[in-house]
């Protein structure tokens, strides 16, 4: 469709997240009822096909005729393409993508994740020690949901967490790509490449640990990766591997804390935490209009004809609330089974970090509930101030209280897992 500027400006805007929420569930409910696939305009003025029903989002994510564009080629620019030697996993396609994914996949299995669990638990306990020293009250965003996923990712990759300021500024610029000038995004990608290259060189000299050390030691050619591949993996993990969790966990905790019956139940029955985690992954409407796919051919999707070159945005947050797939989809049901949410995507680019995310959420909840007895909001959850500008939203602060132990009773006297 070669829409004129007037036709594009007449399109409705992409739904904005509702204030105080990670997403736009009401607007998507209307779209799912009227027409699953509809043309909208992004804030930058680009027309896209927004996909809202579960079955269509599921199909779009794994459709062979829809690819993730290389950063800097979408939205189309007049400027000369910026030279880039290394692409991220999301930008790689076909056999190159399959080869790199195949090499990293064994590191993400549930069994490998469980081997990491004691370290992750130790990080959670260190952060709670700090909260206990200073509170109550305490802020769970600054004190827990911000630092925890970053520390977990550093443990997993084998990066010294005291050095993370060297990359967080750049990863956050890349994640903000729809709102910052393209040149800034590309400079941030270059800075990440330089940071990753130094790290990979250290690992190849035998000084690495974690995932990167392990990948660097695997002989190249026998499933092992070359230097550029390792840099690509490092950049991809830094960009995709902590901010999603920071924002998801920050938005998930109010859902939990405003249900004291659930907090009490999960504290008494930690075996029910994994199902509650799965439902938090479905219910928090985090993955809004953030995934862009471009059609490499004319194709039909959900009864719409999509032309080659047109952009399609499958909205996972909407699919996860589709009443055709999930009974009482807007309700938070911590016992929901089955729970076939699409939070981690689908198809060749589905998220490799699903098990790591599940495990860190489980450990975080077990630790918070055990070590902060009587954990409750200090400010009413519906009066929290949210970061309304970020593409993935979360509360800016989450003030909480908890019951202090009687003097003389040490934390270790029965509370610590
Ligand atoms: C709440 C947490 C997370 C959510 C909601 C999430 C969601 C997603 C989704 C939907 C995709 C697919 C995007 C697409 O199809 O275009 C994806 C890809 C990816 N995710 Fe995650 N993710 C999370 C955590 C993580 C973690 C912890 C890691 C790594 C440690 C990670 C690493 C990646 C990578 C590397 C990709 C690209 C994979 C590829 O292109 O083959 N993610 N993620």
């Amino acid at each position: 469709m070669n829409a004129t500027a007037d036709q594009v400006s007449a399109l409705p805007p992409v739904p904005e997240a509702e204030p105080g929420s990670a997403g736009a569930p009401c607007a998507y409910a209307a779209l799912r009822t009227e027409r699953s696939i509809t043309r909208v305009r992004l804030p930058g003025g680009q027309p896209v096909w927004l996909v809202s029903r579960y079955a269509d989002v599921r199909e779009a994510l794994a459709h062979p005729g829809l690819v993730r564009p290389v950063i800097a080629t979408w939205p189309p620019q007049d400027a000369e393409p910026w030279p880039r030697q290394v692409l991220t996993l999301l930008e790689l396609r076909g056999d190159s993508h399959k080869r790199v994914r195949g090499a990293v996949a064994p590191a993400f299995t549930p069994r490998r994740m469980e081997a990491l669990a004691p370290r992750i638990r130790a990080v959670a306990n260190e952060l709670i020690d700090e909260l206990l020293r200073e509170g109550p009250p305490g802020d769970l965003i600054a004190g827990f949901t911000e630092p925890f996923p970053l520390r977990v990712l550093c443990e997993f990759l084998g990066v010294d967490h005291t050095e993370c300021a060297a990359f967080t500024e750049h990863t956050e610029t890349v994640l903000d790509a729809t709102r910052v000038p393209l040149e800034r995004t590309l400079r941030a990608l270059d800075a990440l490449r330089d940071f990753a290259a130094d790290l990979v060189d250290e690992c190849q000299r035998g000084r690495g640990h974690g995932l990167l050390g392990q990948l660097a030691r695997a002989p190249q050619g026998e499933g092992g990766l070359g230097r550029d591949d390792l840099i690509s993996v490092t950049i991809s993990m830094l960009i995709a591997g902590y901010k999603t969790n920071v924002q998801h966990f920050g938005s998930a905790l109010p859902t939990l804390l405003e249900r004291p019956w659930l907090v009490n139940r999960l504290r008494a029955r930690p075996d029910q935490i994994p199902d509650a985690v799965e439902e938090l992954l479905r219910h928090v409407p985090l993955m809004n209009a953030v995934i862009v796919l471009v059609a490499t051919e004319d194709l039909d999707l959900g009864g719409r004809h999509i032309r080659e070159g047109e952009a399609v945005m499958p909205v996972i947050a909407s699919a996860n609330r589709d009443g055709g797939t999930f009974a009482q989809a807007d309700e938070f049901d911590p016992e929901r089974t089955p729970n076939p949410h699409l939070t981690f995507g689908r198809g060749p680019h589905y998220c490799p970090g699903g098990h790591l995310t599940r495990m860190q959420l489980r450990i975080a909840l077990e630790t918070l509930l055990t070590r902060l007895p009587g954990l409750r909001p200090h400010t009413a959850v519906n009066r929290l101030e949210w970061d309304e500008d970020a593409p993935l939203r979360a509360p800016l602060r989450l003030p909480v209280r908890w019951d202090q132990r009687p003097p003389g009773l040490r934390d270790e006297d029965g509370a610590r897992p």
Side-chain angles (χ1 to χ4, degrees):
M1 180 196 297
N2 286 325
T4 64
D6 282 350
Q7 283 169 326
V8 172
S9 62
L11 290 172
V14 65
E16 282 283 323
E18 285 143 25
S21 145
C26 297
Y28 289 124
L31 289 179
R32 282 192 305 272
T33 315
E34 288 154 21
R35 181 115 211 209
S36 172
I37 304 185
T38 187
R39 202 85 164 135
V40 298
R41 179 173 38 87
L42 291 183
Q46 304 81 21
V48 294
W49 291 107
L50 203 69
V51 185
S52 57
R53 282 185 203 144
Y54 183 91
D56 299 330
V57 170
R58 193 171 181 281
E59 183 179 352
L61 286 169
H63 198 296
L66 293 170
V67 297
R68 280 95 191 130
V70 170
I71 299 174
T73 62
W74 198 93
Q77 307 284 322
D78 294 333
E80 282 292 301
W82 187 282
R84 295 204 20 230
Q85 300 147 331
V86 182
L87 298 179
T88 62
L89 267 171
L90 273 172
E91 296 168 287
L92 291 176
R93 290 185 200 159
D95 287 345
S96 334
H97 176 256
K98 218 182 264 173
R99 186 175 54 77
V100 181
R101 266 298 285 239
V104 297
F108 285 92
T109 58
R111 187 192 288 205
R112 292 290 269 276
M113 291 302 126
E114 282 311 318
L116 198 64
R119 280 300 308 141
I120 295 187
R121 207 175 287 283
V123 171
N125 276 313
E126 260 178 53
L127 295 170
I128 304 266
D129 287 342
E130 192 64 29
L131 277 166
L132 287 170
R133 258 195 299 276
E134 292 182 3
D139 176 10
L140 280 189
I141 300 292
F144 202 87
T145 67
E146 287 269 357
F148 183 60
L150 188 54
R151 295 272 307 267
V152 170
L153 182 70
C154 289
E155 285 289 333
F156 174 63
L157 292 182
V159 175
D160 177 353
H161 79 87
T162 59
E163 285 179 13
C164 61
F167 65 83
T168 48
E169 182 196 336
H170 306 303
T171 49
E172 283 161 35
T173 302
V174 174
L175 288 169
D176 231 7
T178 53
R179 295 177 318 137
V180 301
L182 178 62
E183 193 177 323
R184 243 187 93 197
T185 307
L186 294 170
R187 284 195 195 287
L189 279 166
D190 281 354
L192 284 175
R193 185 208 49 220
D194 293 346
F195 175 81
D198 288 346
L199 202 59
V200 165
D201 291 343
E202 280 289 294
C203 291
Q204 288 191 318
R205 283 195 286 269
R207 287 203 276 269
H209 56 282
L211 172 74
L212 300 178
Q214 183 191 315
L215 290 174
R217 282 191 296 276
Q220 210 183 329
E222 297 165 29
L225 299 175
R227 183 172 182 268
D228 280 357
D229 298 327
L230 290 169
I231 295 173
S232 164
V233 169
T234 311
I235 300 174
S236 308
M237 298 300 161
L238 296 179
I239 295 173
Y242 75 95
K243 194 66 181 176
T244 31
N245 285 76
V246 168
Q247 301 303 83
H248 177 268
F249 198 22
S251 313
L253 275 176
T255 304
L256 202 66
L257 294 182
E258 67 187 349
R259 292 168 173 80
W261 59 270
L262 180 59
V263 172
N264 290 336
R265 195 166 88 190
L266 296 180
R267 183 178 292 118
R269 293 284 313 270
D271 56 305
Q272 296 184 356
I273 290 180
D275 280 348
V277 159
E278 221 48 49
E279 179 68 343
L280 287 170
L281 287 165
R282 181 195 75 89
H283 192 263
V284 171
L286 183 75
M287 301 303 278
N288 283 283
V290 287
I291 297 180
V292 178
L293 308 174
V294 175
T296 53
E297 61 195 22
D298 282 17
L299 54 96
D300 291 314
L301 185 73
R304 285 282 194 186
H305 187 68
I306 314 280
R307 300 238 175 102
E308 182 183 345
E310 288 181 346
V312 172
M313 284 188 127
V315 183
I316 292 176
S318 172
N320 282 348
R321 296 288 188 99
D322 189 332
T325 302
F326 302 97
Q328 269 136 11
D330 288 327
E331 297 295 310
F332 179 79
D333 172 5
E335 292 174 51
R336 189 181 292 278
T337 46
N339 194 342
H341 64 74
L342 293 174
T343 303
F344 295 117
R346 187 171 171 262
H349 291 272
Y350 81 89
C351 179
H355 296 307
L356 181 58
T357 297
R358 290 181 170 103
M359 184 182 64
Q360 62 181 287
L361 270 168
R362 171 173 60 77
I363 291 178
L365 292 182
E366 284 168 4
T367 316
L368 285 170
L369 297 182
T370 318
R371 295 203 57 209
L372 302 179
L375 181 66
R376 57 195 178 276
H378 182 53
T379 305
V381 160
N382 60 5
R383 295 185 48 204
L384 292 174
E385 197 188 336
W386 279 62
D387 179 358
E388 306 286 1
D389 288 334
L392 304 180
R393 300 177 184 213
L396 289 167
R397 278 169 289 283
L398 181 51
V400 290
R401 299 198 70 79
W402 58 87
D403 301 331
Q404 280 173 297
R405 295 185 187 289
L409 183 66
R410 290 172 308 146
D411 186 43
E412 286 75 12
D413 294 343
R416 200 159 177 153

